[in-house]
Each structure stands twice: as C-alpha cells, then as structure tokens.
Amino acid sequence: MNRFGILTKARQKRRGIPLLLALLAVFSLLAMSCGNDDDDAPAAPEATAAPEATQAPAAPEPTEAPAPDPRGDALGDGSLGIVTVSTGEGIQIRSLNAISGPVAFLGLPNQRGVELAIADYGDIHGFSVDLGTPLDDLCSAEGGQAAAQTIVADEQVIGVVGTSCSGAAVAASPLVTQAGMVMISPSNTSPALTSDFEGNPGESYNVGYYRTAHNDLVQGAAMANFVFSELGISAAAALHDGDPYTQGLAQAFSNAYEEVGGTTTGIVGINKGDTDMVPALTELATGSPGALFFPIFPPEGDHVAAQAPTVSGLEGTQLLAADGMLVDGFLELADSEGMYFSGPDLRFGSNVNQGTGRNADQILAAYEAAYGELPSAAFWGHSYDAATLLLDAIAAASWVEDGDLHIDRAGVRQYLSEVSGYSGVTGSLSCDDFGDCASQKITVIHHESAADIEASKNNVVYAYP
Amino acid sequence: MQLTAKQRTRVDWFLTILRVAALVLIGAGLVAFVAQVVDSNNPFARWANPDAINLTGRQFRDLVVAGLAQGAMYGLIALGYSMVYGVLGFINFAHGEVFMIGAVTGAITSSKLAEAGAWEDNFVLCLLLVVVLSMVVCTITAVIMERVAYRPLRGKPRLIPLITSIGVSFFLQNFILVLLGPGTKTYPRMPEWLTEKRTFLEIQGTRLLVLAAAAVAMVGLWYLVERTKTGKAMRAVAEDAEIASLMGIDVNRVIVKTFAVGGAMAGVAGILWGLLFNSVLHTAGFLPGIKAFSAAVVGGIGNLGGSMAGGLTIGVAESLGPLVILEPLGVSGPSQLRDAVAFSVLIIVLLVRPSGIFGERLPSEERT
Amino acid sequence: MSSPPMLEIAGLHVVFGGLHALSDLDFAVEEGEIVAVIGPNGAGKTTFFNVVSGMVKPTQGQIYFEGRSLLGLDPNKITARGIARTFQNVRLFANMTVLENVMVSQHCRTRQRMLDALLYTSRFRREEEQVRARGKEVLGFFGTRLTGYRFDQPASVLSYANRRRLEIARAMATSPKLLLLDEPVAGMNPVESAELTQLIGKLRDEMGYTIVLIEHDMSVVRDISDRVVVLDHGEAIARGTYAEVSADPQVIEAYLGRAADGN
Amino acid sequence: MTAVADPMAASTGDTVPETVRRRRVLDQNWRELLKVGAILMVGQVFIALSGMPVSFDRRLIIDPILSLGYLSLLWLPLVVGYAVGREQALEGMMAYTKGGREVLAGAITGVLGNLGLTLLVVGITHFDIRDPLVNWSPQLLELLEFEQSVWFGALIWLGIGAATGAAGGGLHWVGARNRRTVITVIAAVSSAAVLESVITDLAQGFHIEAVANWLYAPKRGLTSPAAAVVAGATILAVNAISALRARAAHRLVSAAEASPTESGSTRGGRLSPRRLAGFALTVAAVIVLPLFLGRLTNELLANVGLFILLALGLNIIVGLAGILDLGYVAFFAVGGYSVAVLTSPGSPRFSPEMPWIGALFIAMLLAGLVGLFIGAPVIRMRGDYLAVVTLGFGEIIRILLLSDWLSGTFNGAQGIINIPGVEIFGLTTVRGFEPRSVLYLVLFFCAIAIYVSWRLENSRIGRAWMAIREDESVAEAMGVDTVSAKLMAFVTGAVLGSFSGAILSAKVGSIFPHSFAIIVSIVILVVVIFGGMGNIAGVIAGAAVLIGVLGGPNQPGLLQEFAEFKILIYGALLVWMMLQRSEGLIPSVRRARELHTDELNQDAWLRAQADEADDASNPGVLDGQGPRP
C-alpha cells in the first residue's frame, strides 16, 4: 500500500546514468542491432527444457568451488535455469484468474486465496513474495495467452497460480511451462489439461502444469455412480449452459452413466442469461428422466430448479447439481430442498494447511475481514493450497548465497511432482504423473432443509471413490 | 389495380428464394410436428426425425403459457422502444438497461423490506411500494439519459444517436456492475398463494400476474396516447416535430414525457421480471432489450398494440419454435437455439413484411 | 417524325393512400424538345418526375423511353438508360467535393471493377482520368464558378445558386439523353436566372439533350419552352405553346390568374 | 469561429467597442456553481464507489507520490474546475479577462465535489451498506483517509478539492499557450507512466536498460526525478514545436496567397512526395521496430493489429458505405472457425489438416459468401432495422457454432484446439508462442487491408459508397447501383474481418465460440468511431489507443487494472465521443465536414460573397438572396 509520500516498501537501488553512457549505449546498440534478434525469443516449443540457454543469471556451481555449501539440500539440477533474487527484491509469482467479466465470481476468490496464502506464509528464506499485478485470464483462450505472454516476459517469475477457466489454460499453459515456470491451477477441471487417469495425457497437457482442482472425469463418474447405484435411477438427463466446463461435465456424467448401465435420455444446452427454462426442460421431459443433472451456475441454475417441477413430465424427477450451484443464495431457496449436489469434498473441517498452519475457518475469517464478504465460489481453498504448494516448492528449491536468493526452476517442478500426502485445507494432496494433485475425492451431499444450510453442506451421503 | 411488372435483380431472386425457403422450412417443421402428434410412426414423421419427441397436450400448453408470459415482458419493454421510436425516430438501445435498473431496484428494495420483516407480513403493500419505487428510479434514469445523451444530438445524422444509445447501454450495464458487483441480486421469497403452481387453469400465479399486468399497462398506455392531451401532443410530435412546435407544443417536454412513460413501463416490466424469475443480473437488460426491440419491429414500430403483439409473437416463437419446428426436422438440442429462433423471426418477418405485422407505414425516410 | 417519341406516358395513375397524385396522365416528349411542366403547388409535377425517374412506382399506366418500357426499373437502371434529373430541394452529396459529385454520377457509364482499383491497372487509371476529365468538362459548362479551387471544395460550402448549377452538372455527367430539371432557377436572382435560362437553351442546342423542366418562373418558361403542359390536381388540363396555354381560361383560373396577380 | 466573426463584424461596419473587462472575484454565477458542484459530487462518489481508486491503487504513476488510484479521484475536479470557468465566447458580446474569479469558481466546485468524498469517509465509518454497494469497503476508507484518521481524511479531501479545482480554474488564467503546455505535460507524464512496460521493453531491445531503470521504479511507475525530467523535456518540446508550426503556417499562408488556384489535389489516390517520404519512413519503422521489442510489447501490438484489421474491415461498411453493422463479429468468427476446422487435426468431423494459407483462401471465400448472405436481406432495410438485424445475424452465427446440434463439426462449447501455426512456404512457422512472428504476420495483413481500403476509397466503388452514405436515394437516381455497391461493402468488410479471424486461430492455437460475443462487435465499432469513421489513419490510431491501453474484450491492454472497468469506459467514451467529437480522434476530412457543416457553411458563405463580388456579371448582388419573381 502506498500513499502520498508514504513509502512502505524498500525501493530498489538505482544507478544514475550520465548522459554519455546513454549515448554510448545507443551507439553500441546500433552496432549490434543485427545480432540481438533472438535475445528474448522463447525456447523452441519442442524443447520444453532448454538447459543453460536463456536464463541470464549464471548458476553458481561452475564459478565457485565450494558450491554445495550454500546450496545445501535445495532441490533441482539447474536444467531449467536458476533465478536470482537480489536483496531487497521480492520473489515473483503471479496470479492468473478470471477477475473481470461474468466469471469474476469464480476468479476473484481464487486470486484472494493466493493473496491470503502469501500473507500467511510469510517470507521465504528472508525474501518477501511479490504477487505483482493480479492478471486476468478473461476466461478466454486469447486472454489466457496474452496474460501468459506478460508472465513469461518477466524472467524472474517462478510460477503462476491459475487459470480459473480451462479454456484459458489451453492457451496459457504451453507458454508458461515452456518458459520453465510452473502453473498450478486451482479450478481447471478439464481432463484435456491433465490425463484420463489411464496413462494417456490429455490433448493439452504440458509438463510443468499442475492443479489442485479435481478432474471432471471423477466428478462425472461420481455422480453417475451415485444416481445409478445409490438412487437406483436408470434413466437420467443432463443440462449444460454452453460453457466448456458445464458441457464437459454433463458429457462426462452422461458417458459414465451409460457405462455403469444407465440410459441418458438427453443432454440439452441452454444459454447463459436465459431465464425461461420451460422449453429446454420440456425437451428433457419428453424423455421422462428419473433424474436431471444440471452442473451449471446461478442464476440459470436457480431458474432450472424453480421451473423444473412446474414442467409436465418432470414433476417427480430428482434434481442434481454440481459445485457450481453450491452457493448459499441458492441453498436458501425452497426450490433447492431435496436436491443432491456433487463436488469436491468441501468438508474442510479441521484440515490444516501445512505450509501456513491455518485451517479453513481461520482463512475464511481472514477472507471476510479483508474483502468484506465470503467467497463467491468454492475454489478459494484450492487456490490457497495451490499457492502454498508453490511457495513450499520455492522454499525447497532455493538457497541464499551472498545475500541473494537463488531458485532452481527444475527444483520447483521436482518438488511439485513429488508432492504426496501434502496436507492442505482442501485435504490431502498428491500429484500424479500428469499434474493432477487434488485429493480427487468427490462427495455428494443431500440438501434437506433450506432453513439449515450448514447442516446440508455436511450431510454427505456418498463419497467417491 | 394493375400490378407493375417488377424487373427482378439477382438480389431479388435470392431474397425470394430465402423467403420461400424460410416458409417451407417452417411449414415442413409444422407438418412434421403434426404428423408426429397424429401418429409418431407415420412415414413422414419417421423420415423427418425418427427420434423426434412427442409433446403431450399439457406440455404444449405450458410452453405456450411460458412463451406468453415471457412475450408479455418483451411487449412491455417494447412499448418503451416503440414510443421513443415514434417520437424521435431512433432506437434507444439503452432502454433494455432501464428495464434492468428497474429489476435491480426492485431486488434491492424488496430484500431490504424482507430483512425488515415487512415483505412477508404485508406483501401486497410492499409490492406496490417496490413497483412505485422502481418506476420512479426508471423514470429518472430515462429522463436523465435523454437530457444528457440524446437531447444534444437532436438533428444530427440518424446514426449518431443510435451509436450513442449503444454507448449508454454499455455504460449503464457496467455502472450497475461496478457499483453493485457481479453477483446475482435475488428477490425474497414470494408468498405461496402467488407462486402456487395451479392457481387458475393450472397456470402458475406469477405468470398470470405478468399477463394481467401487461394487459393493464397496455390499456393504460393506450388511454394515455389516444385519449389525453399529452398523448395527442406525442402523436403530433411523432408526425412532424417542427410543425408540432409551430402549433405551440413544447417538443422537449413531450419528448421528456415520452422517455418518462417508457421508463415507467420498463420499471413495471423489471418488477414483473423479478417476480417471475426471482433474480436479476446486470446483464439482464441487454438481450431482452434487443428482443423487445425485435418485438417492436415485428409488430410494426410505432404501433403500441403491434409492439405487444410482436412481444407475444417473439415470446411464443422462441418458446415453441425449437420443439415444434426445429426438433421435428431433426435438429438435436434445439432449445439451445432459442435466441437464434427469436432473431430468425425478426429476419423472416422483415423479409416478408418490411413494415412489420401491424405496421401501416414506414416512418418517412427523410426524417433525421 | 415517324419514330416513336422519346418519352411516352400513357394512362399514368399514382395513388398515395387514396390521394390521386396523378390521374390518367398522357404525355409525350419528342427528341430535342424543351417541354415545361407547370402548375400550382401540389399539382403533381414533382411526383411526375419521381415516377419517370423510378423513385415512385406508378399505380397504373405505362412509361416508354425510346420505345421501351421503364416500368419496374430501379432508378439507377433508368439513369443508365439515359434519363437524369435534378431535385427541387437541392440534394447534393454535401460532404463530397464538387469534382467527386460529378465523378460519382458517371457510375453507370464506367465499367471498372474492384479488382482494377486494387491492382491499379492501366484500365483503371485510364478510366479514372476520363472520369475526372469529363467531370471537369461538365463543370466547365458553367464558366469558372465550379472550377479551379472549387473542384476540391465540399459541395456543402457552395452558394445556393452554385449548388443548383452543380446539381445540373451532376445530372449532365450521367450522359443522359433526357434531362429532367426540377425548378432549376428557384431561388436565383433575375440576372442569374436569365443566365441559367440561356444555358439550358445551350444544353439542348449544343449538347443535344432533350429537356423537361418544372418551373414556376413564367419568364423562363416563356423564353425556352417549345411546349407547355399544365398540371392541376394530377391531371393535365392544358397543353400547347406558351402562348396557347397562357390564353387557356382553365389555366388562367387554375394557375396563371393567381400568379399574374402576384406579378 | 473567430475567423468567421471578424469579417462579419467588419462587414456590418460597426466599430466593435472595447468589450474586454475584468470581473470582480466574487461576481460568480452561484447557481451554476452549485449545480456543477453537485454533478461533480455525484461523479466523485461514483468513481469512489465503483472501486476504481482501490483497484487502480496498485499502479503508480509517479513512484512515491501518486498512484493511478488517487489520480482517478483527482482528474475530475481538475477538468470540472476548468470547465466551470469556460464561457461561450460570442462575438459582439462582453468578453471578460480570466483571472481570480475563475480560480475561485474552480475551487468552489472542487470543494463542493469533494464534499461527496468527505461525506463518503464519514458515511463509511458510521454505516455499513456494503450489501448493495460492494465497494463501500474498509479498503476504500483506508485509501480515502490516507491511512490517517477519519477527520484527516474528511478534511483533506476538501483541501484537495479546492486545490485541484483552483488549478483547473487557473488554467484559464495562464493563457492559451501555457494551458496547452500544462495539458501536454500532464498527458506526457501519464502516458510515460502508462507505457512503462513498453518503454522498458524497448530499452531492453536497444540495450539501454539504464535509461529505463532510471526512468522507472520497477513496475511502480515513473520515479519523481524522472517525472520532473519528462515534464521539463515536454515543455521544451512543446515550445520548439509550436515555434516550428508557426513558421510553417506562415509559409503556407504566403504560398496560398501566391497561387490561389488549382490547389494540389491529392485525390485520385496519389500521394505528394512529402507524404510519400513520411509514409516510407513509417513503413520502415514498423518493419524494423518489432525486432527491438520484447515479447510483451509484440504480443500487445499483435492484438492491436488484429483489431486494426477488424476495424479497417468494419470501417468500409460503417465508415465508407454508412451501413451500421452490429454483427461484424460474424465475419471474424467465420474466418477463425474456417481456418480452425480446415487446419486442426482436432476438428471433429472434417479435418483435412490443410496448410494455413490454403485454409485462408477458403476462409475468405466463405466469409465473402456469408457477407452476401447476411448482406442481401438487410441492405434494403432502414439503417436502424439493419443494425438490429445484423446484430441478430452475429448472434445466430455464434449460437450455431456453440450449439450441440453442430458440435459434430465445430465441437460446440469445447472449441477446436491444437490448431497449428502458419507455415510460410516451408521457411518458418508462425505461432502464438512467438509474438514477434505473429506481429509480422498481422502487419502483413494490415498492410493489405490498408492498401485495399485506400485503393477502394479512391475508386468508382468508393465514391459510390460515399454517395450512398450521403443520400442513398439520390445516389440511386444518379445511376449508382446501390444494391450491389452495398453488397460489395459487406463482402469486402467480411473478407478483411476473416483475415483477422484466421490469424487469431493460428495465434491462439485454439478457438471457442465464446470469443465471438456481441461485445466484440461493439468494441470494434467503438474503435472505428473513436479513431474517426471513414479514415484509415484514424482507425489505426483508435485501435492503438483503445486496444493498446484499455485492451479488447478478450485481450488485456497496458492498463490491466482497467479490466473490470473496460466496458464501462468504452461505453462512456462512445457517448462522450458522440456528444463532443463525433468525427473521432483523427477525423476524416469528409466526416468532419458532415458534422460541422454549419461552421464550414459560414466560412464558405463569406468566401462566396467575396467571389460573387468579384464576379463582373452581377456585381454587388448577394448570391442566393435574390427575390423570387
């Protein structure tokens, strides 16, 4: 925070430059202008690891004989370069979330989760952590790409917490990971970004990409199993709102449901901003589904829940939704009574983040104090965990030498890939070979009374796997 | 009367083909739908879409009612478009935002009332209060908008106020966004007797209320325009502002009144929206606004009855069209295309009848 | 003359929502004639021009130009056939330059395609040069008033009389055979008016245009018209030379009588 | 105005009395001050409650002194303080010298306006209405109090209001030339701060990081001494330039007097040697500069370039032919999706995996066809119907791309991913990872678009478009085939728009229907209008300023803090532009004429008078004033 004339943060020391020097620089530049074509060109896309190539600061090993001493047991082999943070500077990490536009409700809690985590975590080896300007993925591929360019242009950046939206990650993750940085997403769930759990990398998987959010395939399977086995309903329908996330989840549900033996009577799309759901619901009603899964968001989800019982043919249909609808405003409505909700296990209870020692209640209290409201979406905890994972990884892969902090990029990745049984507020995290770090535990809760939503949130009737 | 032989250009041929194709598609869809209803195994129905779904009578009726309720809302907003268009001759794109502001005002005041406990105790009174407040806010918004953004532009080329109104629209939408945040603003719970599903003819109470309110507003507006002095002045200004001013009519006043009345209508529509759908977002005004304008055009702009009829047409078309026309033709997931259906209605109506269904005249080209 | 008249109109009716703007009008113009159409305000003169130029579709009747029907043609096709007009309430392309105004009206006489412009072909350059030259030529018809630095001035800055002149030049640039002039001297002072009258005569004599004009100024009508047709309430109530028409009691009653009082 | 007024005064022969007079300081129009103050109050409170100060506080303009957050609360009193002292200077009426009165007026409005902030400070400490007003927050309070006490915060804003308002009013006092200097300095310092990342980047490219290091506190805006130097340099530059200008103007006038006839016409698409030289220089700079720019700036410029392409295309439709197309994004989508389907191995049904260049030709063809298809039904419609119908078409295309129905071809909501880059004759592959190569690709197509716009504007079809824009029915009566001309405008615009879509596909490597929402059409329209309808240079400048600084609908700009406020600002800008300067930033000569016809007419009237007076045939008679016989 900076006010008129009040400077709270140490300023970087600056060298004054004589005019002569500048002129000299201009001339030298003119002389060299042909040669500097490639100085900041990115590493070739094929080679994800470009050793000793672009990273400017020299690794200390070759120059100094007693290298192992200062380095200690910091992780990494230096293959992705080493970042040096000088005294008085901060360790650069970034937040990349959808913080404007219609999905800001999803991205803002993510960003704030990172901010809280940094505040709680404190310094790393005496160096502060600098989040810079929070970046916006605009929930779009273009936005993700442009923001990623901003990130990779700063070679000091170690890692990114984000993106909010899978579409943005598709464009951002190749850029970020090829620059040797890591990317940990708190809320991407598309299988394409990691794997299908059968050893096949997704179409958009990149080494260096991790996430603390679950994989859609798990949630789809969880809901399908629950509906088919637990509720004993053999015909179900799904509804999505044209968002890649909701469409993907509806599709995953449908696939898993057919696999376990159920019949999908229809998948219908609505549009964001629709209010009158009767036509879409009527279309679904003609298949007489026993259950309707609509993994969408408010306010469209509110309308679905309110209007479904009025549609002839859906009167007795069991309504089910996903984490997107698990918001207090919706649970307080009478329409939502009796519904089931699937989602990542949000019974954070006494889980303690091992990086900061905070539990969910403490974090939420800090959240409300700082931002004046409670989180508007469920992934703040995943974001908090993602940030502490990153900070822990930096701590593990860095060492102080001559007052400067050195961070080994490869070490950061090594740490993350080896994460196992990490205690986070969202549960126990373990990263698999394709960057899926979440506990992958999906729960289904039963919402019995709009009068007591806290009870409903803990009323877990099914857990998967 | 002898028809003049029109020489057809290639464009005319193309348009004719388009018209015919659109009508044939609609016709084929309808026939396929009927065939489906009569006997889902008849050869035509099977050929058109073997998996076509079969609507029950009740479902069909529900679709019509939902469409009518939605359409009545479009109609109410369309009245504002139509009036301003009639008097000033330009589309006030931002009218949809005025409607949204009405709905937001309603959401805030009603939830405050609910917090104070008044909403449940004395629902009707609270509702009246909310309606009045929303009308006031909308009227003020509309009048300020006219004063700040449109009045200085009178007499400029006609694209200029149109573009300005697009700017106003986005400004207002984001004005609400930055002040009130991106979250949904919800209305408190309605009393049972209103939301009950089978009040009359097994139609939801709120939908009936919307239809009734639309009818009342329509009659009120008709009275205002046709029977009062203000209405006469409005019609005079619509006919020719310059001459009206020579006849001693204060054109500015009339225009302000037009905006005010349009705003008030949008305020009513906003509250009805809240009652029907329980929640509102800052983006809630844009698409309904565009559709309402389409409704005004479909009905014949400048014609109040036409606006309401156009609204109902668009509402019913987007409700029924996907399942009655597209689905029997083999389009999968047709409900997703409802906005496309709404715009197609606009395009087809303009192709077949450029002045709209009830439009008698096109406002003169020369007016700027 | 054995060949059919240049413009022949038979049984023309135009009805606007019950109002008969023109009823059962027969009319013919021979090549090389100057015909004046006169009549009180609201007599249907401008509607008559609008019909001939294709801007208004007749309810009934036939229009032949050089023996071919004009019915159903768009205005631009009619212009291409060789009929050009001016407007009573001068309608120039106000923000285009004087030269551009006369260049654009050669649209239907030029053939260049977009590709020519894009590739800057020799055909394009040649044609642009011709269009420009022809534009300057027709502007030059009015002396120096519309030439020189005026070429690059926007039409909106011209004086009223010059706008009228430019409108005529713009019509001339379409290379018409028949020129329809709607009140060409309206708003001009007597000197200018006399000068323009002379020019209109020149248009016929030197350029070979056939001209139909609507005019209120009787001195102009008297000076240049070969024939006069008088319209009243959409009907032709008299035709003949100026002398004949001005002696017609019906005309005097309908029109000249009042106008004469005014003079 | 003055040019008109002087000869008029002379022609009437009146001797204008000495009208310049000084007014007493307290001789104020109090009602007006109250009114403006109240409006300012509303504005200030709105800005505070919109959350701008808090979000912008992260970005510093001058390192320890001023953040963008505070700037957002300072500029309005300054502007209003200036505006309140402005008077319509009418000739022949009293003109007053400006001085202390204006300063006082500014100060009063400033205080009144900032009273809003004072009330806000007090209000936030005592009430909590965060429920509807999300930014009624402790952070805002903290910021407004300068982390001091409530009373400090409450009072200091009145002081700041008085100071900024007075400064605004004082701008009248210092005279036109100093005023211009002050405004330029403010603009220069703030743009230097805004351009931090670009200038740092450029400095790196030229290996003069030292300059950038000295200018900027890293990521924190200008340092105070640097700000002072920038300000000083700007003052010097302004003075030098105005001296040069004066000399040039002098030369121009004398040249015009020497040969008043046949002014050098640049019409017909030929450039004068001087302009040609300037043009060549620009081209050279554009080609060479990206080499010295880092990826950040190149990425930014590539995004700007995409919008330049789109804006140039829309400019043909809206700016030249005068057709208000609100569904322009449709062509963008067609270009993007055709290339995606044709090149990506991941496209579901039909996946020929063509090379990009081949796909581009098909995309152009398809875009042209879609242009015809959309154009044909709408071209006969009236302007405003057309606007809504095109908007509808744009939405229909997006909905179809998104739909499950056609997801077999377009993959619906999941979009098409793994779109390969652009392989250029086997030499190199352009893809999103390397913004520089993308930028060159974009520049190449921008060059094509500029060339096309420029050639067409000065051709038969271009003149036809302009005539249609001026008066469609007259254009038709003059032999212009309006139907085909308008269709050609649609098709040309569509093809240019499809270029942009095709590049977007290859650049991002994936494509989603989400990218083609209505807002994209609107932003393109704002760019065209802001820059100057119908003017190539204006459109380019508009894209550079708006997309570069604020960002596009899915693209961040230099001021990423503006993200939430982007559309708000676009909306406000559109309204303001229409009200104050509807001809745009760099107006096309023609547009300016259209919108300021009155003034031009007066000019011309005077000139015509002079002409006619010279005319030997009818001396002394005023043109167009002759009595009707």
Side-chain angles (χ1 to χ4, degrees), chain B residues 11-12 14-15 85 91 112 115 149 158 162-164 167-168 170 174-175 178-180 293 301 332 336 339, chain D residues 46 131-132 134-135 324 376-377 380 382 384-385 388 399 403-405 483 518-519 529 567-568 571 575 578-579:
Chain B
V11 176
D12 290 312
F14 177 70
L15 290 185
Y85 196 95
I91 307 175
K112 289 287 169 204
E115 263 172 42
R158 62 189 309 149
L162 182 63
I163 293 168
T164 310
V168 174
F170 279 88
N174 286 273
F175 177 84
V178 295
L179 281 188
L180 305 180
F293 174 73
I301 201 148
S332 59
Q336 213 178 2
D339 291 346
Chain D
F46 167 66
D131 185 6
V134 287
N135 291 305
L324 184 58
R380 282 195 225 264
R382 307 154 24 74
D384 21 25
Y385 283 23
V388 174
I399 291 168
S403 70
D404 291 345
W405 176 40
V483 169
I518 297 176
I519 186 69
I529 286 169
I567 309 299
L568 180 83
V575 176
M578 284 290 117
L579 290 175

Side-chain angles (χ1 to χ4, degrees), chain B residues 110 113-114 117-131 187-195 206 209 271 274-275 278:
Chain B
S110 61
L113 285 170
W119 183 260
E120 295 196 359
D121 299 344
N122 209 337
F123 174 72
V124 177
L125 204 68
C126 282
L127 186 62
L128 278 180
L129 182 73
V130 169
V131 170
Y187 278 69
R189 194 184 290 205
M190 309 290 159
E192 284 292 321
W193 57 265
L194 185 63
T195 51
T206 36
L209 179 70
I271 300 298
L275 294 184
N278 282 319

Side-chain angles (χ1 to χ4, degrees), chain C residues 193-207:
Chain C
S193 161
E195 183 196 314
L196 192 65
T197 310
Q198 213 181 355
L199 278 177
I200 291 172
K202 256 172 75 181
L203 276 178
R204 187 248 317 256
D205 301 339
E206 292 175 16
M207 307 277 190

Side-chain angles (χ1 to χ4, degrees), chain D residues 332-596:
Chain D
F332 189 33
V334 168
Y337 262 92
S338 328
V339 166
V341 167
L342 293 172
T343 61
S344 167
S347 99
R349 173 171 306 161
F350 176 69
S351 170
E353 297 187 41
M354 287 171 75
W356 186 84
I357 293 177
L360 176 72
F361 282 104
I362 298 182
M364 281 166 64
L365 198 72
L366 284 175
L369 284 178
V370 171
L372 277 179
F373 188 85
I374 294 182
V378 304
I379 39 170
R380 282 195 225 264
M381 289 177 189
R382 307 154 24 74
D384 21 25
Y385 283 23
L386 186 145
V388 174
V389 171
T390 47
L391 189 149
F393 268 118
E395 269 296 89
I396 289 177
I397 286 191
R398 184 185 65 86
I399 291 168
L400 289 179
L401 291 174
L402 175 64
S403 70
D404 291 345
W405 176 40
L406 298 179
S407 66
T409 311
F410 302 119
N411 219 11
Q414 300 304 326
I416 296 177
I417 58 176
N418 287 336
I419 302 168
V422 180
E423 204 172 306
I424 296 172
F425 308 120
L427 295 173
T428 172
T429 309
V430 175
R431 59 172 102 202
F433 299 124
E434 300 123 32
R436 182 178 298 147
S437 57
V438 176
L439 178 59
Y440 277 118
L441 187 70
V442 173
L443 284 175
F444 176 71
F445 281 95
C446 280
I448 293 182
I450 292 169
Y451 178 78
V452 168
S453 306
W454 172 63
R455 288 281 6 131
L456 291 186
E457 197 182 336
N458 296 303
S459 74
R460 173 176 179 255
I461 188 86
R463 286 190 296 269
W465 286 336
M466 286 183 273
I468 289 169
R469 197 186 66 198
E470 297 282 316
D471 189 332
E472 189 172 340
S473 51
V474 175
E476 190 161 23
M478 288 302 128
V480 175
D481 185 350
T482 53
V483 169
S484 65
K486 285 163 97 177
L487 274 180
M488 284 324 279
F490 259 99
V491 171
T492 317
V495 170
L496 293 186
S498 73
F499 288 163
S500 193
I503 298 173
L504 180 88
S505 252
K507 170 176 180 287
V508 180
S510 54
I511 197 160
F512 298 89
H514 170 87
S515 305
F516 306 104
I518 297 176
I519 186 69
V520 180
S521 296
I522 305 294
V523 167
I524 304 168
L525 181 70
V526 180
V527 166
V528 171
I529 286 169
F530 179 79
M533 255 198 274
N535 181 356
I536 299 170
V539 165
I540 294 171
V545 172
L546 289 182
I547 307 299
V549 176
L550 289 178
N554 292 316
Q555 287 82 7
L558 276 175
L559 286 176
Q560 290 182 0
E561 290 80 3
F562 273 75
E564 297 158 70
F565 308 98
K566 208 162 18 189
I567 309 299
L568 180 83
I569 294 170
Y570 275 128
L573 212 56
L574 196 54
V575 176
W576 183 77
M577 228 46 209
M578 284 290 117
L579 290 175
Q580 297 296 329
R581 205 182 151 84
S582 41
E583 68 273 24
L585 203 63
I586 304 181
S588 117
V589 187
R590 244 178 225 104
R591 271 287 168 187
R593 271 182 221 150
E594 186 173 322
L595 296 158
H596 294 286

